[in-house]
Amino acid sequence: MEEQLKKIENEAQQEIAQAESRERLEQLKVKYLGRKSMVTRLFTKIPVLEREEKAKIGKALNLLKQRINFFLEERAKNFEKKEERIDLTFPPEKINRGIKHILACVDENICEIFKNLGFMIVEGREIEDEWHNFTALNIPLEHPSRDVFDTFYLDLPVSDYGGENKGGGKYLLRSHTSPSQIRVMEKRKPPLAVISPGRVYRPDKVDASHSFMFYQIEGFCVDKNINFSHLKGVLFSFAKSFFSEDVKLRFRPHFFPFTEPSAEVDISCMICKGRGCSVCSQSGWVEVLGCGMIHPEVLEACGIDFDRYQGFAFGMGVDRMAMLKYRINDIRLFYENDLRFLEQFYEV
Ligand code: PHE
C-alpha cells in the first residue's frame, strides 16, 4: 500500500511539474484528487481495514492529498496573471531634458559679467544693410578695407525687407556685430554702455579655427571724457572674472576703420599658461578681440557730437573664448551637434 501511495505521489509530482497551463492543472487535479481518482478510491477502502492499519493508511492518504495539493498550488503560481501595481515609492526613470549648448552658456556668462559692470544688453539683427555693416562704420563702398570683411550678400529686393534700408545698398548677413553700435546710437543718445551678442557670417573656409558662422559680442561705451584707459580697465576686469585673476592681456596696435586708435588684444594662453602650445602657435598668446576708441566719423554718422562725446568699442569672438576656457581645440565641434561632445558640458 505504502509503495502504491509513493508511486501515485511521484507520478502526480512529475505530471504537475510538466503542466503548461491552468487548464492542464485543472485536469490533473481531477485526475489525482477528483471523485473518481485513485486517492479517493483508496479513502473508500479505509473502513474495511484493521484498526491499526486504518490510522496508518488514513494518515498516509491525507498526507498524500496535502502534498498533491501543494504541488498544484506551487505550479499554479507560474500562471498567475501579473497584477500591475503602482509603487509610489519607486524612484522615477531619469528624464533627459537636454542641456544648454556650451556656446549659449559662455555667451550668457560673458553678458552677465558685463551686465554687472553696468552694461545693457541690446540684440542687433543678423540681416543687415550695407550702410549699417559698412558705410556708417567708416568703411565706404570703394574702400579697400571692405575686402577684409568678406561678406555673404543676399539676393533680396530692398522693398521686400522692412523698407528700412538706409542708403539703399544691398542686404547681407552681417560680417561682424559692430553694426549693433550704429543701431543703438541712431536711437539713443549718450551716456551709453551696451553689450550686443549674436551670430556673424563670413565666407571663410572651414577648418579647426574658422567657421562660416560664429559668435561675437560687441561692447561699447559713449560718454563725456571717455578714454583708452577706461577700455583697458573694463577689458581687464572682464578677463579676470571670465578666466582667472592671473590672466594677462596684451594690447597690440592695429587698424580698424571704425576705431582710432585701434588695438588687437591677446590673452595669455590659458592652455599652456604661456609656455607655448599648438593653440597659441607656441607664442604663449592668443588673439581674442579687436577694440579701440570709436572713430569720430562713426559718432557723426549717428548724429552724436564728437566734440562733446567720446567712446570705446570692442568686439570679441565667443567661440575663441569658449575654446580657451574649456580647452577645446577645434571650432567645428561646436556646430557638429555630436552629443558625446556636448554632454561634457552639463555643469557649465
Ligand atoms: N568688428 C571687428 C571685427 O569683427 C572687431 C571690433 C569691434 C574692433 C569694435 C574694434 C571695435 O573684427
Side-chain angles (χ1 to χ4, degrees), residues 131-232:
W131 195 81
H132 286 91
N133 197 76
F134 294 124
T135 318
L137 285 161
N138 199 28
I139 316 173
L141 240 189
E142 67 291 349
H143 197 284
S145 66
R146 278 210 190 189
D147 302 339
V148 177
F149 298 95
D150 270 342
T151 307
F152 285 114
Y153 284 92
L154 297 171
D155 199 5
L156 269 182
V158 171
S159 56
D160 277 9
Y161 184 71
E164 248 191 84
N165 186 331
K166 203 164 171 179
K170 285 183 233 138
Y171 283 113
L172 45 84
L173 293 176
R174 65 174 172 191
S175 52
H176 52 172
T177 43
S178 296
S180 294
Q181 292 181 36
I182 309 300
R183 294 261 169 213
V184 173
M185 288 194 282
E186 276 174 338
K187 291 214 176 74
R188 298 169 190 243
K189 295 303 154 212
L192 291 169
V194 172
I195 203 91
S196 185
R199 293 191 184 106
V200 300
Y201 302 81
R202 291 182 197 173
D204 280 339
K205 201 166 160 273
V206 175
D207 62 25
S209 49
H210 293 88
S211 166
F212 56 83
M213 186 278 286
F214 55 99
Y215 286 79
Q216 275 193 339
I217 292 185
E218 190 81 7
F220 66 100
C221 176
V222 184
D223 202 352
K224 286 175 184 150
N225 302 319
I226 294 286
N227 61 47
F228 205 92
S229 53
H230 295 123
L231 169 62
K232 283 182 96 170

Side-chain angles (χ1 to χ4, degrees), residues 47 55 90 95 120 128 134-135 193 196 207 209 211 241 258 280 284-285 292:
F90 206 71
I95 299 169
M120 182 174 82
E128 269 297 1
F134 294 124
T135 318
S196 185
D207 62 25
S209 49
S211 166
S241 74
F258 33 90
C280 61
W285 296 96

